[in-house]
Amino acid sequence: MNGARLSQRYYAEVVRPILQDRWPRLPHAAARLGGGSDVLGLDDETSRDHDWGLRLHLLVPGDVVSQVDGHLARALPSRFAGHPSRFGITDDPTERHRVTVCDIATFSTDTLGLDATHELSVGDWLSLTGQGVLEVTAGPVFVDTTGELTALRRSLEWYPDDLWRHVVSVDWARLEQELPFVGRTGARGDDLGSRLLTARLAGVALHLAFLLERTWPPYAKWLGTAHADLPGTDPAALLRAVAAPSWQEREALLAQWLRRLADRQQEVGLPDVGDPVAPFHERPLLGIRPGVVELITDSITSPEVRSLARGVGTPEQWSDNVDVLLSPSRRARLR
């Protein structure tokens, strides 16, 4: 049984009866949210060594959070006494069952670094990461009597249109900045440098593929796995670029992938210039065709979004620092 199914049983068979005994009409939502491979539906045998199993978010009105939390802390251990194996655990159940009790605004702030129960500003949207949003939207919801959690998840389905165009343009700008260096380093005999650049650009291209499909990308551990489920993409093609033995092959295979992305960009209704790859000045190298970034940014109508810095974007587009990307409070300060 995967972790999400286990959490659902935990709520239905243990937590809900405790709540109903004390508060028969308590407004609440129960869901498996937050971090963890089981939230993404990607857990396996290895996942069970930590932070797996009986984990649950219980969202209740703010004025009863402490009462519900205290009551569960007292009541849950006795419900497990003698039969923890019913839920796939064999050690001390008080160390393995976890219920996070909070209100919807606190949950949003703790997970995203902002209260997304209110309308988000441009700065708010640009402080989000795909993984942060998935920790709110990807896991299963077992009950939502108020509809607040459902509304929060719906509001985070995807960027507003102009911001979508902006973050797509940022990835093209990042590709524009370094694609010629794959060949430049290789031609100078710096094979390691060429390979490192290819891998980095492959990561940008992968991120762009998620953006074009309006799909939030998970963090690095699951990026390649999740990408395999995107429609119309070929993960093996990008793998060939990363593994190619010569810089000429790496450059050609990256170009092939970027042309596929440009085709997809046109299919989803965003402007493109046809072939996004062109010779880099007079050198025997490939780069991004002039105008690719500008064509997208010119289609943005919001003055606030149009004024944003070119090529900067979201935290996952300007940093690979895990202590930043996985910290809502740090992202909030940087906003």
Side-chain angles (χ1 to χ4, degrees):
M1 181 181 295
N2 66 27
R5 290 285 300 277
L6 197 60
S7 294
Q8 184 173 19
R9 280 188 57 197
Y10 182 40
Y11 167 71
E13 299 179 26
V14 178
V15 176
R16 183 171 62 186
I18 293 174
L19 294 177
Q20 289 179 332
D21 286 347
R22 179 71 180 271
W23 297 281
R25 292 183 173 82
L26 178 69
H28 71 283
R32 175 64 183 101
L33 305 171
S37 54
D38 49 335
V39 173
L40 301 176
L42 298 173
D43 51 318
D44 56 17
E45 292 296 326
T46 302
S47 305
R48 300 182 181 186
D49 63 353
H50 71 287
D51 292 341
W52 185 90
L54 303 187
R55 301 183 67 196
L56 185 71
H57 268 86
L58 188 66
L59 307 179
V60 299
D63 58 352
V64 297
V65 167
S66 60
Q67 298 176 53
V68 173
D69 193 28
H71 183 65
L72 288 176
R74 293 186 295 271
L76 283 171
S78 63
R79 294 294 179 109
F80 278 89
H83 53 264
S85 60
R86 287 177 56 207
F87 293 93
I89 59 176
T90 56
D91 57 353
D92 181 359
T94 64
E95 297 299 320
R96 291 298 299 270
H97 70 257
R98 299 178 178 89
V99 181
T100 300
V101 184
C102 60
D103 61 80
I104 187 74
T106 299
F107 165 67
S108 174
T109 301
D110 288 348
T111 309
L112 301 172
L114 52 87
D115 182 0
T117 62
H118 303 291
E119 184 176 357
L120 300 185
S121 68
V122 168
D124 291 337
W125 279 107
L126 291 179
S127 74
L128 299 177
T129 63
Q131 177 64 30
V133 175
L134 289 171
E135 291 181 8
V136 176
T137 62
V141 176
F142 311 133
V143 66
D144 182 13
T145 64
T146 68
E148 290 180 331
L149 177 57
T150 301
L152 173 63
R153 285 158 64 102
R154 187 176 297 121
S155 73
L156 294 168
E157 285 179 353
W158 195 239
Y159 294 107
D161 187 73
D162 276 346
L163 277 168
W164 177 38
R165 293 166 187 263
H166 172 70
V167 294
V168 167
S169 77
V170 168
D171 273 349
W172 279 113
R174 297 166 72 202
L175 292 163
E176 179 184 60
Q177 290 159 0
E178 294 193 329
L179 180 59
F181 300 162
V182 172
R184 180 68 173 131
T185 52
R188 286 294 301 268
D190 180 9
D191 192 57
L192 175 60
S194 178
R195 289 177 182 273
L196 290 173
L197 283 160
T198 300
R200 183 156 68 200
L201 291 169
V204 177
L206 203 58
H207 186 264
L208 179 54
F210 278 92
L211 294 183
L212 293 177
E213 298 302 329
R214 300 178 179 89
T215 301
W216 295 105
Y219 74 130
K221 180 171 70 170
W222 298 119
L223 194 62
T225 302
H227 172 259
D229 295 329
L230 292 183
T233 60
D234 180 10
L238 205 55
L239 180 61
R240 289 194 295 272
V242 173
S246 71
W247 69 263
Q248 292 92 339
E249 292 172 275
R250 290 174 216 131
E251 188 183 63
L253 288 165
L254 279 175
Q256 176 184 325
W257 177 270
L258 296 178
R259 290 179 176 117
R260 181 180 288 119
L261 288 181
D263 290 342
R264 183 58 181 157
Q265 184 167 304
Q266 184 180 49
E267 291 169 0
V268 300
L270 296 181
D272 74 285
V273 294
D275 188 347
V277 180
F280 183 66
H281 298 295
E282 303 301 319
R283 299 177 180 181
L285 307 171
L286 294 180
I288 298 299
R289 183 180 300 279
V292 169
V293 176
E294 289 73 19
L295 191 64
I296 303 172
T297 56
D298 286 348
S299 71
I300 295 171
T301 59
S302 163
E304 184 178 8
V305 178
R306 287 178 67 90
S307 69
L308 293 171
R310 182 185 189 274
V312 179
T314 67
E316 59 198 6
Q317 290 179 306
W318 49 257
S319 177
D320 60 3
N321 189 302
V322 174
D323 287 333
V324 173
L325 296 180
L326 296 187
S327 172
S329 61
R330 288 192 177 98
R331 298 197 308 268
R333 290 197 297 271
L334 290 168
R335 182 171 73 251

